[in-house]
Every structure is written in structure tokens, then in C-alpha cells.
């Protein structure tokens, strides 16, 4: 389960889309950039024990809640 999900603007000009995200999953800290087209650029690669496809879907849902709503 994802916890401590945080979203920060990637650029100083908040009008430009792009966000830096960070969160914990299974006690491991992850960082990534979430680009305007929904692409996720990992700063910390997900562990092999995690289903990356399911994690990406969950991040998209969280971004809808935190940024677009």
C-alpha cells in the first residue's frame, strides 16, 4: 500500500504541467517525476517484488485526486 504520497510542482512556473512525486510503499521510499502526458520517470526504480503496472495505475488515480480535482 502507498503511504505518505506527496506532490510538488516540477517547475517554478506552476502553470507548466509536471510534478515531482514521492511516497513509501512497503517501507521503501520512492521518487519519480510525473509528466504532463502521464508518463512516470522513476528516480528510484520500483522493486522487483512490486507489480509496476498496478502501481502506475494507482499513481494515476492519486494524481487525479491530488492535482486535477
Amino acid at each position: 500500500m502507498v503511504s505518505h504520497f506527496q506532490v510538488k510542482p516540477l517547475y517554478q512556473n506552476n502553470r507548466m504541467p509536471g510534478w515531482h512525486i514521492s511516497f513509501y510503499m512497503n517501507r521503501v521510499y520512492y521518487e519519480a517525476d510525473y509528466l504532463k502526458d502521464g508518463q512516470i520517470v522513476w528516480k528510484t526504480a520500483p522493486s522487483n517484488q512490486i507489480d509496476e503496472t498496478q502501481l502506475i495505475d494507482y499513481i494515476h488515480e492519486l494524481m487525479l485526486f491530488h492535482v486535477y480535482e
Side-chain angles (χ1 to χ4, degrees), residues 39-51:
Q39 180 183 358
I40 297 173
V41 179
W42 296 103
K43 303 293 182 187
T44 310
S47 142
N48 291 338
Q49 299 172 347
I50 295 174
D51 180 3

Side-chain angles (χ1 to χ4, degrees), residues 7-26:
V7 178
K8 296 178 184 174
L10 204 77
Y11 306 103
Q12 287 182 344
N13 179 357
N14 289 339
R15 292 182 184 179
M16 294 182 67
W19 300 269
H20 177 77
I21 60 173
S22 61
F23 58 91
Y24 284 90
M25 184 167 191
N26 300 334

Side-chain angles (χ1 to χ4, degrees), residues 27-58:
R27 298 183 181 180
V28 178
Y29 182 73
Y30 294 98
E31 290 184 287
D33 291 337
Y34 189 92
L35 305 180
K36 67 179 180 178
D37 62 357
Q39 180 183 358
I40 297 173
V41 179
W42 296 103
K43 303 293 182 187
T44 310
S47 142
N48 291 338
Q49 299 172 347
I50 295 174
D51 180 3
E52 189 174 350
T53 304
Q54 185 177 9
L55 176 59
I56 289 171
D57 289 343
Y58 192 65

